[in-house]
Amino acid sequence: MKAFLHFVLFILSFTLCFAQRPAQPPMSQERFTPKKLGYKLFWEDNFKGNQLDPKKWAVRGVGPRALGFVSPEAVEVKDGFLKLHALQKGDSILIGAVGTQGLLMMKYGYFECRAQLQKSPGVWAAFWIQSPDISKGEDPGVYGAEIDIFEFFKKLGLDIVSHNVHWAYGPNQKTTRGMQSYLKGVSEGFHTFALEWTPEKYTFFIDGYKFYEVTMGISQIEEYLILSMELPSEKNDLRNTVYPDVFIVDYVKVYKKK
């Protein structure tokens, strides 16, 4: 009972501080798998070897981003992992990001990565799906959406992972508002983060547990995957960041209905 009261007080303080949806535990204790949901493996990368597979990924957005720069120097494949770093080099901060644009373009499916999150606040790990046409119009069915499968903002708490959907980039941009999932221990070790995207809804999973179902902003066009280390736009947010930091990805798998 005492632990439950502490959790409730934490949720209330979190809501007041960040004005987003309160963090919530799984919708149930049932654990899902792609197979259980009727999916079959379509595409995967287990990051073998010592470099990105150019048939699957490219370093994404090389150049300035927020307070730093996306650089190939911050992207590493080693020991069966993809490592996306946050590095301090002189007065610059380098971050890693990779994407499948033009290589893997998908509409609907089950998308999963197994990963270990960064250790610092300030920088954050992200796994997301992006539309190439998102800024061209406001109808997500026609122009697509940004689907944030997960982001880990450590300042929100050690056991909270965020999800979001954005569409209609521009003056009338829309969003589902940040959805926060509470899972004890998610900041330590490896965990799986997944999205089921259907014509009717998005469903967000961590370690097979279902946390949210969303029926807004549904894209009906092909989009591409992104894995990235991200930076804030305010220097003060980096005051407690410790470099180097790293977002480690064990695998990425994409499933389609049989």
Side-chain angles (χ1 to χ4, degrees), residues 123-156:
V123 297
W124 71 91
F127 178 35
W128 42 303
I129 298 177
Q130 181 63 290
S131 161
D133 299 327
I134 193 169
S135 61
K136 296 179 180 178
E138 298 186 5
D139 182 347
V142 176
Y143 300 104
E146 173 190 326
I147 313 161
D148 297 327
I149 300 174
F150 89 85
E151 297 175 277
F152 180 55
F153 304 105
K154 196 167 185 178
K155 68 179 181 180
L156 301 185

Side-chain angles (χ1 to χ4, degrees), residues 4 14 19 32 64 71 83 107-108 126 128 132-133 153 164 166 184 224 232 249-250:
F4 177 75
F14 171 82
F32 295 87
S71 169
K83 299 181 178 182
K107 181 174 71 171
Y108 313 138
W128 42 303
D133 299 327
F153 304 105
N164 216 326
H166 308 279
K184 185 69 175 176
Y224 57 95
V249 183
D250 180 23

Side-chain angles (χ1 to χ4, degrees), residues 184-209:
K184 185 69 175 176
V186 74
S187 64
E188 298 296 329
F190 284 85
H191 298 270
T192 60
F193 305 91
L195 168 83
E196 183 186 19
W197 168 20
T198 73
E200 296 79 32
K201 65 184 177 181
Y202 303 118
T203 306
F204 297 89
F205 300 87
I206 305 173
D207 289 345
Y209 294 111

Side-chain angles (χ1 to χ4, degrees), residues 63-70 85-87 92-96 121-126 151 153 228-234 237-238 241 243:
R65 184 166 178 82
L67 293 175
F69 300 86
V70 175
H85 297 276
L87 308 170
S92 298
I93 301 171
L94 307 182
I95 53 173
V123 297
W124 71 91
E151 297 175 277
F153 304 105
S228 59
M229 182 74 95
E230 297 289 340
L231 284 170
S233 56
E234 298 292 334
D237 289 337
L238 293 173
T241 304
Y243 305 98

Side-chain angles (χ1 to χ4, degrees), residues 237-257:
D237 289 337
L238 293 173
R239 65 191 183 280
N240 295 319
T241 304
V242 177
Y243 305 98
D245 207 338
V246 63
F247 168 32
I248 304 174
V249 183
D250 180 23
Y251 65 71
V252 178
K253 296 182 179 182
V254 177
Y255 299 81
K256 294 178 72 172
K257 286 286 188 179

Side-chain angles (χ1 to χ4, degrees), residues 40-213:
K40 187 175 182 179
L41 185 64
F42 173 75
W43 181 98
E44 67 178 324
D45 195 348
N46 293 288
F47 302 108
K48 303 303 181 185
N50 57 9
Q51 63 180 8
L52 278 180
D53 184 340
K55 295 180 180 179
K56 295 181 177 179
W57 305 94
V59 178
R60 179 183 184 271
V62 174
R65 184 166 178 82
L67 293 175
F69 300 86
V70 175
S71 169
E73 190 174 336
V75 177
E76 180 183 24
V77 177
K78 185 178 181 181
D79 300 327
F81 299 106
L82 168 66
K83 299 181 178 182
L84 300 175
H85 297 276
L87 308 170
Q88 196 161 30
K89 190 173 183 180
D91 295 330
S92 298
I93 301 171
L94 307 182
I95 53 173
V98 299
T100 67
Q101 187 171 13
L103 300 169
L104 175 70
M105 305 293 291
M106 288 283 296
K107 181 174 71 171
Y108 313 138
Y110 188 96
F111 306 84
E112 179 182 72
C113 78
R114 181 174 184 267
Q116 179 175 289
L117 307 176
Q118 91 283 352
K119 298 299 182 183
S120 289
V123 297
W124 71 91
F127 178 35
W128 42 303
I129 298 177
Q130 181 63 290
S131 161
D133 299 327
I134 193 169
S135 61
K136 296 179 180 178
E138 298 186 5
D139 182 347
V142 176
Y143 300 104
E146 173 190 326
I147 313 161
D148 297 327
I149 300 174
F150 89 85
E151 297 175 277
F152 180 55
F153 304 105
K154 196 167 185 178
K155 68 179 181 180
L156 301 185
L158 298 181
D159 304 314
I160 293 177
V161 170
S162 300
H163 324 274
N164 216 326
V165 181
H166 308 279
W167 64 99
Y169 278 6
N172 298 315
Q173 181 171 319
K174 304 292 192 303
T175 179
T176 58
R177 293 171 58 234
M179 297 168 280
Q180 319 300 326
S181 295
Y182 179 89
L183 184 65
K184 185 69 175 176
V186 74
S187 64
E188 298 296 329
F190 284 85
H191 298 270
T192 60
F193 305 91
L195 168 83
E196 183 186 19
W197 168 20
T198 73
E200 296 79 32
K201 65 184 177 181
Y202 303 118
T203 306
F204 297 89
F205 300 87
I206 305 173
D207 289 345
Y209 294 111
K210 182 190 298 186
F211 281 85
Y212 286 92
E213 292 182 337

